[in-house]
Amino acid sequence: MDDAVDSGGIEVIIQNEEDKTAPRCPHGPALLFEKTGNGEEKGRRFYACSACRDRKDCNFFQWADEKISEARMLAREEQNRSKMPLFSHQEYKFVSLPLEQRRFCVDCQLLILPEERATHAKHKALSEDTTVQRLKRPSLLLCPLDNKKSNAQYLFADRSCHFLLDMLLGLGFQKILCVGTPRLHEVIKLRNMKGKSPKMKSLLLDIDYRYCQFYGQDEFCRYNMFNHHFFDDEEAVTFFQGFLREEEGAKVVMITDPPFGGLVKPLANSFSQMAITWKNQNKGQMPMIWIFPYFFESRILECFPSFSMLDYQVDYDNHPLYKHGKTGRKQSPVRLFTNLSPKDIILPEDEGYRFCSVCERYVSAGNKHCPKCDTCPSKDGREWRHCDECGRCVKPSWRHCSSCGHCALPDHPCGQSQTGCFNCGSQKHKLRTCPKKHNKRFSE
Protein backbone atom coordinates (compact mmCIF):
# COMPACT_ATOMS: atom_id res chain seq x y z
CA MET A 1 0.00 0.00 0.00
CA ASP A 2 1.26 3.47 -0.84
CA ASP A 3 2.02 6.01 1.85
CA ALA A 4 -0.96 8.05 3.00
CA VAL A 5 -0.85 11.48 4.59
CA ASP A 6 -3.40 12.27 7.27
CA SER A 7 -5.57 15.39 7.20
CA GLY A 8 -3.06 17.50 9.09
CA GLY A 9 -0.05 16.67 6.87
CA ILE A 10 2.05 15.75 9.91
CA GLU A 11 1.81 11.98 10.19
CA VAL A 12 2.36 9.62 7.30
CA ILE A 13 0.81 6.19 7.49
CA ILE A 14 2.54 3.30 5.81
CA GLN A 15 0.44 0.18 5.46
CA ASN A 16 2.35 -2.90 4.44
CA GLU A 17 0.22 -6.00 4.22
CA GLU A 18 3.37 -8.17 4.26
CA ASP A 19 4.43 -6.93 7.71
CA LYS A 20 3.79 -9.89 10.01
CA THR A 21 5.81 -8.40 12.87
CA ALA A 22 3.47 -5.50 13.71
CA PRO A 23 2.76 -5.31 17.46
CA ARG A 24 -0.82 -5.78 18.63
CA CYS A 25 -3.19 -3.73 20.71
CA PRO A 26 -6.75 -4.76 21.75
CA HIS A 27 -7.90 -3.88 18.21
CA GLY A 28 -5.48 -6.19 16.42
CA PRO A 29 -2.23 -5.44 14.55
CA ALA A 30 -1.12 -1.82 14.85
CA LEU A 31 -0.46 0.40 11.83
CA LEU A 32 2.92 1.89 11.01
CA PHE A 33 3.13 5.69 10.90
CA GLU A 34 5.91 8.15 10.23
CA LYS A 35 6.35 11.37 12.14
CA THR A 36 7.46 14.25 9.94
CA GLY A 37 8.28 17.86 10.68
CA ASN A 38 8.86 20.99 8.64
CA GLY A 39 11.61 20.42 6.09
CA GLU A 40 12.32 16.87 7.22
CA GLU A 41 12.64 14.37 4.40
CA LYS A 42 12.27 11.38 6.67
CA GLY A 43 10.96 11.13 10.19
CA ARG A 44 10.90 8.51 12.89
CA ARG A 45 8.41 5.70 12.45
CA PHE A 46 6.06 4.39 15.09
CA TYR A 47 3.19 1.96 15.59
CA ALA A 48 -0.22 3.10 16.82
CA CYS A 49 -3.73 1.68 17.06
CA SER A 50 -5.36 1.11 13.69
CA ALA A 51 -8.92 1.74 14.86
CA CYS A 52 -8.58 4.68 17.27
CA ARG A 53 -6.96 7.92 16.17
CA ASP A 54 -7.56 9.45 19.61
CA ARG A 55 -5.18 8.06 22.23
CA LYS A 56 -7.86 8.55 24.86
CA ASP A 57 -9.63 5.57 23.30
CA CYS A 58 -6.53 3.41 22.81
CA ASN A 59 -3.17 4.65 24.06
CA PHE A 60 -1.05 2.04 22.29
CA PHE A 61 2.21 3.54 21.02
CA GLN A 62 5.57 2.04 20.11
CA TRP A 63 8.51 3.41 18.17
CA ALA A 64 9.27 1.13 15.23
CA ASP A 65 12.95 0.87 16.19
CA GLU A 66 12.23 0.41 19.89
CA LYS A 67 13.29 -2.81 21.60
CA ILE A 68 10.56 -4.14 23.89
CA SER A 69 11.53 -6.01 27.04
CA GLU A 70 9.96 -9.36 27.82
CA ALA A 71 8.30 -7.92 30.94
CA ARG A 72 6.71 -5.13 28.92
CA MET A 73 5.58 -7.58 26.27
CA LEU A 74 3.90 -9.77 28.88
CA ALA A 75 2.22 -6.73 30.44
CA ARG A 76 0.93 -5.69 27.01
CA GLU A 77 -0.46 -9.15 26.33
CA GLU A 78 -2.22 -9.12 29.70
CA GLN A 79 -3.72 -5.69 28.98
CA ASN A 80 -4.95 -6.89 25.57
CA ARG A 81 -6.64 -9.87 27.22
CA SER A 82 -8.29 -7.61 29.80
CA LYS A 83 -9.87 -5.56 27.00
CA MET A 84 -11.46 -8.56 25.32
CA PRO A 85 -15.22 -9.25 25.64
CA LEU A 86 -16.32 -11.36 28.61
CA PHE A 87 -17.62 -14.09 26.34
CA SER A 88 -16.44 -15.54 23.07
CA HIS A 89 -18.84 -15.71 20.16
CA GLN A 90 -19.42 -19.42 20.77
CA GLU A 91 -20.27 -18.83 24.46
CA TYR A 92 -23.25 -16.54 23.88
CA LYS A 93 -26.36 -18.67 24.57
CA PHE A 94 -29.03 -16.02 24.97
CA VAL A 95 -30.97 -16.59 21.76
CA SER A 96 -31.65 -20.21 22.75
CA LEU A 97 -33.43 -19.20 25.98
CA PRO A 98 -37.24 -19.34 26.31
CA LEU A 99 -38.94 -15.96 25.84
CA GLU A 100 -39.83 -15.52 29.53
CA GLN A 101 -36.16 -15.87 30.54
CA ARG A 102 -34.80 -13.22 28.21
CA ARG A 103 -33.50 -10.02 29.79
CA PHE A 104 -31.46 -7.07 28.51
CA CYS A 105 -29.49 -4.76 30.81
CA VAL A 106 -29.49 -1.31 29.26
CA ASP A 107 -26.84 -0.06 31.72
CA CYS A 108 -24.36 -2.76 30.67
CA GLN A 109 -25.64 -3.12 27.10
CA LEU A 110 -25.72 -6.88 27.59
CA LEU A 111 -28.19 -9.68 27.19
CA ILE A 112 -27.99 -11.56 30.48
CA LEU A 113 -28.45 -15.20 31.36
CA PRO A 114 -30.68 -16.26 34.29
CA GLU A 115 -27.67 -17.01 36.50
CA GLU A 116 -26.33 -13.47 35.89
CA ARG A 117 -29.44 -11.57 37.02
CA ALA A 118 -28.24 -11.11 40.59
CA THR A 119 -25.20 -9.20 39.30
CA HIS A 120 -27.48 -6.76 37.44
CA ALA A 121 -30.27 -6.58 40.05
CA LYS A 122 -29.40 -3.05 41.19
CA HIS A 123 -29.26 -1.64 37.69
CA LYS A 124 -32.20 0.69 37.22
CA ALA A 125 -32.45 0.07 33.49
CA LEU A 126 -33.19 -3.65 33.45
CA SER A 127 -35.60 -4.40 30.63
CA GLU A 128 -38.13 -7.17 31.17
CA ASP A 129 -39.80 -6.98 27.78
CA THR A 130 -37.06 -8.33 25.57
CA THR A 131 -39.48 -9.81 23.10
CA VAL A 132 -38.72 -11.64 19.89
CA GLN A 133 -39.58 -8.48 17.93
CA ARG A 134 -37.12 -6.38 19.93
CA LEU A 135 -34.39 -8.97 19.46
CA LYS A 136 -34.89 -8.74 15.71
CA ARG A 137 -33.79 -5.10 15.88
CA PRO A 138 -30.63 -5.03 18.02
CA SER A 139 -29.69 -1.60 16.66
CA LEU A 140 -32.72 -0.22 18.56
CA LEU A 141 -31.72 -1.99 21.78
CA LEU A 142 -28.04 -1.07 21.76
CA CYS A 143 -26.82 2.46 22.37
CA PRO A 144 -24.84 3.52 19.27
CA LEU A 145 -21.12 4.06 19.68
CA ASP A 146 -20.35 7.66 18.82
CA ASN A 147 -16.61 8.17 18.36
CA LYS A 148 -16.39 9.44 14.78
CA LYS A 149 -12.67 8.65 14.57
CA SER A 150 -12.96 4.93 15.33
CA ASN A 151 -16.31 3.22 15.72
CA ALA A 152 -19.00 5.84 15.13
CA GLN A 153 -22.34 4.10 14.58
CA TYR A 154 -24.54 6.33 12.50
CA LEU A 155 -27.35 3.97 11.55
CA PHE A 156 -29.01 4.11 8.14
CA ALA A 157 -32.58 5.31 8.07
CA ASP A 158 -34.96 2.63 6.80
CA ARG A 159 -35.50 4.74 3.66
CA SER A 160 -31.85 4.32 2.66
CA CYS A 161 -31.81 0.63 3.63
CA HIS A 162 -34.80 -0.24 1.46
CA PHE A 163 -33.48 1.80 -1.47
CA LEU A 164 -30.13 -0.01 -1.35
CA LEU A 165 -31.70 -3.46 -1.09
CA ASP A 166 -34.31 -2.85 -3.81
CA MET A 167 -31.59 -1.47 -6.07
CA LEU A 168 -29.29 -4.45 -5.48
CA LEU A 169 -32.11 -6.94 -6.01
CA GLY A 170 -32.84 -5.23 -9.31
CA LEU A 171 -29.20 -5.76 -10.29
CA GLY A 172 -29.41 -9.45 -9.42
CA PHE A 173 -27.46 -9.57 -6.14
CA GLN A 174 -28.54 -12.16 -3.56
CA LYS A 175 -25.65 -12.01 -1.05
CA ILE A 176 -24.69 -8.79 0.78
CA LEU A 177 -21.41 -8.47 2.68
CA CYS A 178 -22.25 -5.78 5.26
CA VAL A 179 -19.01 -4.16 6.46
CA GLY A 180 -19.82 -1.78 9.31
CA THR A 181 -23.51 -1.62 8.33
CA PRO A 182 -25.44 -3.33 11.16
CA ARG A 183 -28.75 -1.62 10.35
CA LEU A 184 -28.65 -2.88 6.75
CA HIS A 185 -27.91 -6.43 7.94
CA GLU A 186 -30.83 -6.15 10.33
CA VAL A 187 -33.27 -4.94 7.66
CA ILE A 188 -32.23 -7.79 5.33
CA LYS A 189 -33.18 -10.32 7.99
CA LEU A 190 -36.49 -8.56 8.67
CA ARG A 191 -37.39 -8.50 4.97
CA ASN A 192 -36.57 -12.20 4.69
CA MET A 193 -38.92 -12.97 7.60
CA LYS A 194 -41.78 -11.01 6.07
CA GLY A 195 -41.36 -12.82 2.76
CA LYS A 196 -42.58 -9.88 0.65
CA SER A 197 -39.39 -9.67 -1.43
CA PRO A 198 -36.85 -12.20 -2.74
CA LYS A 199 -34.62 -13.59 0.00
CA MET A 200 -31.10 -12.26 0.42
CA LYS A 201 -28.22 -13.63 2.49
CA SER A 202 -26.03 -11.30 4.51
CA LEU A 203 -22.90 -11.47 6.62
CA LEU A 204 -22.12 -8.60 9.02
CA LEU A 205 -18.48 -7.64 9.67
CA ASP A 206 -18.23 -5.10 12.48
CA ILE A 207 -15.88 -4.21 15.32
CA ASP A 208 -18.73 -3.96 17.86
CA TYR A 209 -18.59 -7.24 19.79
CA ARG A 210 -22.11 -6.68 21.20
CA TYR A 211 -23.61 -8.08 18.01
CA CYS A 212 -22.21 -11.51 18.99
CA GLN A 213 -25.18 -11.68 21.37
CA PHE A 214 -27.73 -11.49 18.57
CA TYR A 215 -26.18 -13.29 15.60
CA GLY A 216 -24.56 -16.67 15.08
CA GLN A 217 -21.07 -17.12 13.66
CA ASP A 218 -22.48 -17.62 10.18
CA GLU A 219 -24.16 -14.17 10.37
CA PHE A 220 -21.61 -12.01 12.20
CA CYS A 221 -17.81 -11.82 12.38
CA ARG A 222 -16.06 -9.34 14.64
CA TYR A 223 -13.78 -7.42 12.29
CA ASN A 224 -11.57 -4.32 12.24
CA MET A 225 -11.86 -2.65 8.83
CA PHE A 226 -8.79 -0.45 9.42
CA ASN A 227 -6.33 -3.36 9.47
CA HIS A 228 -8.34 -6.22 7.89
CA HIS A 229 -8.27 -8.12 11.18
CA PHE A 230 -10.73 -10.87 12.13
CA PHE A 231 -10.84 -11.24 15.91
CA ASP A 232 -11.83 -14.92 15.83
CA ASP A 233 -8.96 -15.65 13.44
CA GLU A 234 -9.22 -18.76 11.27
CA GLU A 235 -12.81 -19.63 12.14
CA ALA A 236 -14.14 -16.20 11.18
CA VAL A 237 -11.96 -16.09 8.07
CA THR A 238 -13.43 -19.41 6.98
CA PHE A 239 -17.00 -18.06 7.27
CA PHE A 240 -15.95 -14.91 5.41
CA GLN A 241 -14.30 -16.78 2.56
CA GLY A 242 -17.23 -19.15 2.23
CA PHE A 243 -19.68 -16.25 2.03
CA LEU A 244 -17.74 -14.62 -0.81
CA ARG A 245 -17.99 -17.75 -2.92
CA GLU A 246 -20.57 -17.24 -5.66
CA GLU A 247 -22.33 -20.60 -5.88
CA GLU A 248 -25.31 -21.47 -8.07
CA GLY A 249 -25.34 -17.98 -9.57
CA ALA A 250 -25.69 -16.15 -6.22
CA LYS A 251 -24.04 -12.78 -6.87
CA VAL A 252 -22.14 -11.09 -4.01
CA VAL A 253 -21.72 -7.35 -3.35
CA MET A 254 -19.86 -5.61 -0.52
CA ILE A 255 -21.40 -2.52 1.15
CA THR A 256 -19.41 -0.55 3.69
CA ASP A 257 -20.10 2.55 5.78
CA PRO A 258 -16.88 3.38 7.68
CA PRO A 259 -16.54 6.04 10.41
CA PHE A 260 -16.23 9.38 8.62
CA GLY A 261 -13.19 10.35 10.70
CA GLY A 262 -11.23 7.28 9.65
CA LEU A 263 -8.20 7.42 7.36
CA VAL A 264 -9.11 6.51 3.79
CA LYS A 265 -6.05 4.56 2.72
CA PRO A 266 -6.02 1.97 5.53
CA LEU A 267 -9.70 1.36 4.72
CA ALA A 268 -8.93 1.07 1.01
CA ASN A 269 -6.16 -1.41 1.80
CA SER A 270 -8.59 -3.62 3.74
CA PHE A 271 -11.18 -3.50 0.97
CA SER A 272 -8.48 -4.34 -1.56
CA GLN A 273 -7.55 -7.39 0.53
CA MET A 274 -11.21 -8.43 0.47
CA ALA A 275 -11.26 -8.01 -3.30
CA ILE A 276 -8.19 -10.25 -3.62
CA THR A 277 -9.90 -12.94 -1.54
CA TRP A 278 -13.01 -12.60 -3.70
CA LYS A 279 -10.99 -12.83 -6.92
CA ASN A 280 -9.33 -16.04 -5.77
CA GLN A 281 -12.77 -17.68 -5.80
CA ASN A 282 -14.67 -15.82 -8.53
CA LYS A 283 -14.14 -14.12 -11.88
CA GLY A 284 -13.81 -10.38 -12.49
CA GLN A 285 -13.68 -7.65 -9.86
CA MET A 286 -15.57 -7.66 -6.58
CA PRO A 287 -18.68 -5.40 -6.71
CA MET A 288 -18.33 -2.76 -3.98
CA ILE A 289 -20.30 0.18 -2.61
CA TRP A 290 -18.41 2.50 -0.25
CA ILE A 291 -20.66 4.98 1.59
CA PHE A 292 -18.78 8.14 2.57
CA PRO A 293 -19.08 11.98 2.42
CA TYR A 294 -18.60 13.50 -1.03
CA PHE A 295 -15.66 15.63 0.08
CA PHE A 296 -13.53 12.45 0.28
CA GLU A 297 -14.08 11.79 -3.43
CA SER A 298 -10.52 12.55 -4.55
CA ARG A 299 -9.01 10.30 -1.86
CA ILE A 300 -11.30 7.39 -2.65
CA LEU A 301 -10.75 7.69 -6.41
CA GLU A 302 -7.00 7.80 -5.82
CA CYS A 303 -7.29 4.36 -4.22
CA PHE A 304 -10.00 2.99 -6.54
CA PRO A 305 -9.83 4.77 -9.92
CA SER A 306 -12.64 2.59 -11.30
CA PHE A 307 -15.12 3.97 -8.74
CA SER A 308 -17.78 6.57 -9.51
CA MET A 309 -19.62 8.80 -7.05
CA LEU A 310 -23.42 8.71 -7.29
CA ASP A 311 -25.74 11.58 -6.36
CA TYR A 312 -27.92 9.55 -3.99
CA GLN A 313 -28.00 11.17 -0.54
CA VAL A 314 -27.77 8.66 2.30
CA ASP A 315 -29.56 9.63 5.51
CA TYR A 316 -29.23 8.37 9.08
CA ASP A 317 -31.64 7.92 11.98
CA ASN A 318 -29.27 9.11 14.70
CA HIS A 319 -27.24 11.84 12.98
CA PRO A 320 -28.33 15.43 13.77
CA LEU A 321 -27.57 16.74 10.26
CA TYR A 322 -27.62 13.89 7.77
CA LYS A 323 -31.37 13.70 7.29
CA HIS A 324 -33.58 13.23 4.24
CA GLY A 325 -35.67 16.16 3.02
CA LYS A 326 -33.27 18.97 3.91
CA THR A 327 -32.38 21.55 1.26
CA GLY A 328 -29.51 23.87 0.37
CA ARG A 329 -26.40 23.53 2.49
CA LYS A 330 -28.22 21.30 4.99
CA GLN A 331 -28.48 18.33 2.65
CA SER A 332 -26.73 15.11 3.63
CA PRO A 333 -23.18 15.03 2.18
CA VAL A 334 -23.01 11.22 2.29
CA ARG A 335 -22.83 9.50 -1.10
CA LEU A 336 -22.33 6.11 -2.74
CA PHE A 337 -18.93 5.33 -4.29
CA THR A 338 -19.05 2.20 -6.41
CA ASN A 339 -17.47 0.19 -9.20
CA LEU A 340 -20.94 -0.77 -10.44
CA SER A 341 -22.03 0.92 -13.67
CA PRO A 342 -23.71 4.28 -12.77
CA LYS A 343 -26.20 3.99 -15.64
CA ASP A 344 -27.54 0.74 -14.16
CA ILE A 345 -28.31 2.26 -10.75
CA ILE A 346 -31.78 3.80 -10.85
CA LEU A 347 -32.28 6.52 -8.23
CA PRO A 348 -35.83 7.25 -6.99
CA GLU A 349 -37.58 9.74 -9.26
CA ASP A 350 -40.16 10.56 -6.58
CA GLU A 351 -37.28 12.16 -4.63
CA GLY A 352 -36.32 14.38 -7.56
CA TYR A 353 -33.57 12.29 -9.13
CA ARG A 354 -33.57 12.22 -12.92
CA PHE A 355 -31.55 10.54 -15.66
CA CYS A 356 -29.00 12.63 -17.58
CA SER A 357 -28.74 11.11 -21.05
CA VAL A 358 -25.39 12.85 -21.69
CA CYS A 359 -23.68 11.67 -18.48
CA GLU A 360 -25.62 8.38 -18.59
CA ARG A 361 -26.40 8.38 -14.90
CA TYR A 362 -29.06 9.56 -12.47
CA VAL A 363 -28.44 12.94 -10.86
CA SER A 364 -30.12 15.03 -8.17
CA ALA A 365 -32.75 17.62 -9.07
CA GLY A 366 -30.37 20.56 -8.60
CA ASN A 367 -27.49 19.02 -10.51
CA LYS A 368 -27.84 20.69 -13.93
CA HIS A 369 -25.73 19.55 -16.86
CA CYS A 370 -23.04 22.06 -17.87
CA PRO A 371 -22.35 22.03 -21.64
CA LYS A 372 -18.99 23.75 -21.12
CA CYS A 373 -17.74 21.17 -18.60
CA ASP A 374 -19.73 18.41 -20.36
CA THR A 375 -20.80 16.95 -17.03
CA CYS A 376 -23.31 17.32 -14.20
CA PRO A 377 -20.83 18.95 -11.81
CA SER A 378 -22.64 19.40 -8.49
CA LYS A 379 -21.35 17.40 -5.54
CA ASP A 380 -23.56 18.77 -2.76
CA GLY A 381 -27.02 18.68 -4.42
CA ARG A 382 -27.20 22.40 -5.20
CA GLU A 383 -27.00 23.89 -8.68
CA TRP A 384 -23.42 24.94 -9.39
CA ARG A 385 -22.47 27.72 -11.80
CA HIS A 386 -19.76 27.82 -14.46
CA CYS A 387 -16.84 30.20 -14.02
CA ASP A 388 -15.25 31.08 -17.37
CA GLU A 389 -12.09 32.41 -15.73
CA CYS A 390 -11.52 29.14 -13.85
CA GLY A 391 -12.85 27.02 -16.69
CA ARG A 392 -14.97 24.89 -14.38
CA CYS A 393 -18.15 24.88 -12.32
CA VAL A 394 -18.05 26.00 -8.70
CA LYS A 395 -20.38 26.17 -5.71
CA PRO A 396 -23.06 28.90 -5.93
CA SER A 397 -21.65 30.75 -2.91
CA TRP A 398 -18.17 31.09 -4.46
CA ARG A 399 -16.98 34.16 -6.41
CA HIS A 400 -14.00 34.57 -8.69
CA CYS A 401 -11.09 36.40 -7.06
CA SER A 402 -8.80 38.12 -9.57
CA SER A 403 -6.08 38.50 -6.94
CA CYS A 404 -5.95 34.78 -6.15
CA GLY A 405 -6.77 33.72 -9.70
CA HIS A 406 -9.50 31.27 -8.70
CA CYS A 407 -12.96 31.10 -7.17
CA ALA A 408 -13.39 31.12 -3.41
CA LEU A 409 -15.78 32.27 -0.71
CA PRO A 410 -16.23 36.06 -0.66
CA ASP A 411 -14.63 36.34 2.79
CA HIS A 412 -11.64 34.08 2.03
CA PRO A 413 -8.14 35.21 3.19
CA CYS A 414 -7.23 36.83 -0.12
CA GLY A 415 -3.60 36.76 -1.15
CA GLN A 416 -2.39 34.93 1.95
CA SER A 417 -0.06 31.99 1.55
CA GLN A 418 -1.92 28.80 2.37
CA THR A 419 0.72 27.28 4.64
CA GLY A 420 -1.58 27.13 7.65
CA CYS A 421 -5.24 26.16 7.66
CA PHE A 422 -6.80 25.63 4.23
CA ASN A 423 -10.25 26.27 5.69
CA CYS A 424 -10.12 29.60 7.55
CA GLY A 425 -6.64 30.86 6.57
CA SER A 426 -5.22 30.93 10.10
CA GLN A 427 -1.47 30.38 10.36
CA LYS A 428 -1.83 29.09 13.93
CA HIS A 429 -3.30 25.66 13.16
CA LYS A 430 -3.88 23.08 10.44
CA LEU A 431 -7.15 22.01 8.85
CA ARG A 432 -7.32 18.98 11.17
CA THR A 433 -7.78 21.16 14.26
CA CYS A 434 -9.72 24.03 12.66
CA PRO A 435 -12.63 25.05 14.97
CA LYS A 436 -14.63 26.22 11.92
CA LYS A 437 -14.10 23.11 9.82
CA HIS A 438 -17.53 21.55 10.26
CA ASN A 439 -19.35 24.87 10.11
CA LYS A 440 -17.85 26.20 6.92
CA ARG A 441 -15.56 24.14 4.71
CA PHE A 442 -17.97 21.39 3.73
CA SER A 443 -21.18 23.40 3.70
CA GLU A 444 -20.58 26.72 1.97
Side-chain angles (χ1 to χ4, degrees):
M1 188 75 184
D2 294 334
D3 293 358
V5 183
D6 75 2
S7 57
I10 299 175
E11 297 176 348
V12 179
I13 176 172
I14 303 167
Q15 176 65 33
N16 182 2
E17 57 266 24
E18 299 299 325
D19 185 5
K20 305 296 183 182
T21 62
R24 292 183 173 232
C25 72
H27 304 95
L31 292 183
L32 183 61
F33 293 79
E34 186 172 84
K35 188 79 173 178
T36 59
N38 293 331
E40 293 183 13
E41 292 185 2
K42 189 175 182 180
R44 192 176 181 186
R45 294 183 175 183
F46 64 92
Y47 287 100
C49 178
S50 61
C52 304
R53 294 179 64 191
D54 192 332
R55 293 190 67 186
K56 294 178 182 178
D57 301 307
C58 181
N59 62 3
F60 180 87
F61 180 91
Q62 178 184 318
W63 292 111
D65 55 2
E66 182 180 6
K67 292 184 178 180
I68 306 300
S69 66
E70 183 177 354
R72 185 178 170 188
M73 185 68 71
L74 292 173
R76 176 183 295 168
E77 291 174 357
E78 178 59 33
Q79 181 185 28
N80 289 349
R81 282 193 293 269
S82 70
K83 300 290 185 179
M84 296 301 290
L86 295 176
F87 300 99
S88 68
H89 202 160
Q90 300 95 317
E91 292 172 331
Y92 279 110
K93 305 173 183 177
F94 186 87
V95 291
S96 63
L97 288 175
L99 178 61
E100 64 273 9
Q101 294 185 23
R102 299 177 181 181
R103 297 290 185 273
F104 178 75
C105 180
V106 180
D107 285 353
C108 299
Q109 292 287 285
L110 287 173
L111 297 167
I112 57 176
L113 299 171
E115 58 268 26
E116 298 174 316
R117 290 181 189 172
T119 308
H120 301 264
K122 295 183 179 180
H123 294 184
K124 60 182 180 180
L126 185 63
S127 172
E128 297 188 357
D129 61 339
T130 313
T131 64
V132 173
Q133 291 301 318
R134 285 170 67 86
L135 288 175
K136 290 177 182 177
R137 305 219 64 172
S139 67
L140 300 180
L141 274 176
L142 301 172
C143 294
L145 305 176
D146 58 5
N147 188 328
K148 68 177 182 179
K149 291 185 178 180
S150 55
N151 50 17
Q153 288 179 332
Y154 295 129
L155 302 168
F156 293 147
D158 283 352
R159 161 193 167 268
S160 291
C161 286
H162 289 296
F163 160 74
L164 288 168
L165 297 179
D166 290 339
M167 177 265 291
L168 292 173
L169 276 173
L171 295 176
F173 292 102
Q174 297 91 28
K175 298 172 72 175
I176 315 297
L177 180 65
C178 299
V179 183
T181 58
R183 175 63 63 80
L184 189 67
H185 178 69
E186 181 180 292
V187 172
I188 291 173
K189 293 177 65 64
L190 287 172
R191 284 169 54 126
N192 287 343
M193 291 176 186
K194 292 178 180 179
K196 294 182 180 180
S197 58
K199 282 198 171 184
M200 307 178 84
K201 291 186 65 177
S202 62
L203 175 65
L204 173 62
L205 307 185
D206 200 282
I207 199 169
D208 189 350
Y209 73 89
R210 297 177 300 173
Y211 284 102
C212 290
Q213 305 171 89
F214 299 90
Y215 302 122
Q217 291 175 282
D218 60 337
E219 296 177 316
F220 170 73
C221 298
R222 192 172 179 230
Y223 171 78
N224 181 350
M225 69 176 76
F226 289 98
N227 59 4
H228 194 51
H229 174 64
F230 289 87
F231 288 86
D232 290 332
D233 297 327
E234 293 183 7
E235 194 168 11
V237 172
T238 299
F239 281 115
F240 164 69
Q241 292 176 341
F243 187 85
L244 289 187
R245 195 174 299 116
E246 291 190 338
E247 298 175 327
E248 300 179 357
K251 294 171 62 178
V252 181
V253 61
M254 184 271 277
I255 300 184
T256 183
D257 183 36
F260 300 154
L263 292 172
V264 168
K265 290 201 173 180
L267 292 168
N269 179 67
S270 294
F271 304 152
S272 295
Q273 293 302 302
M274 287 186 178
I276 292 172
T277 302
W278 187 90
K279 197 169 185 178
N280 290 336
Q281 306 180 104
N282 308 285
K283 295 180 180 180
Q285 63 175 348
M286 179 179 178
M288 292 189 280
I289 297 177
W290 183 340
I291 297 171
F292 227 45
Y294 70 80
F295 36 80
F296 286 100
E297 180 183 20
S298 61
R299 297 190 188 185
I300 292 178
L301 296 186
E302 180 184 350
C303 299
F304 294 111
S306 64
F307 275 29
S308 301
M309 187 181 79
L310 307 182
D311 276 18
Y312 183 78
Q313 297 180 9
V314 181
D315 62 325
Y316 297 82
D317 271 348
N318 60 326
H319 195 287
L321 300 177
Y322 301 169
K323 301 285 189 183
H324 175 58
K326 294 183 179 293
T327 58
R329 292 177 296 175
K330 297 182 179 179
Q331 299 176 70
S332 171
V334 186
R335 301 290 186 268
L336 309 181
F337 295 86
T338 181
N339 56 1
L340 299 174
S341 174
K343 67 179 180 181
D344 295 333
I345 300 178
I346 302 174
L347 304 186
E349 294 183 357
D350 60 347
E351 295 181 14
Y353 297 101
R354 55 185 174 76
F355 188 76
C356 174
S357 58
V358 181
C359 295
E360 293 190 307
R361 68 181 181 96
Y362 276 81
V363 296
S364 59
N367 195 358
K368 308 297 184 183
H369 191 86
C370 174
K372 295 181 179 179
C373 294
D374 194 27
T375 188
C376 293
S378 177
K379 309 292 184 184
D380 60 9
R382 295 180 292 168
E383 183 176 354
W384 287 18
R385 61 178 186 84
H386 190 86
C387 174
D388 290 326
E389 289 90 341
C390 291
R392 65 187 182 98
C393 287
V394 298
K395 295 181 178 181
S397 55
W398 288 19
R399 298 292 180 268
H400 191 82
C401 175
S402 56
S403 299
C404 295
H406 60 78
C407 285
L409 289 168
D411 60 347
H412 72 284
C414 182
Q416 293 185 17
S417 173
Q418 287 290 295
T419 56
C421 177
F422 284 84
N423 182 45
C424 68
S426 172
Q427 301 297 306
K428 297 182 180 180
H429 61 258
K430 295 288 187 179
L431 169 63
R432 179 177 54 179
T433 56
C434 179
K436 300 179 181 179
K437 178 170 62 174
H438 298 292
N439 297 331
K440 187 174 181 180
R441 175 177 170 84
F442 301 133
S443 61
E444 292 292 342

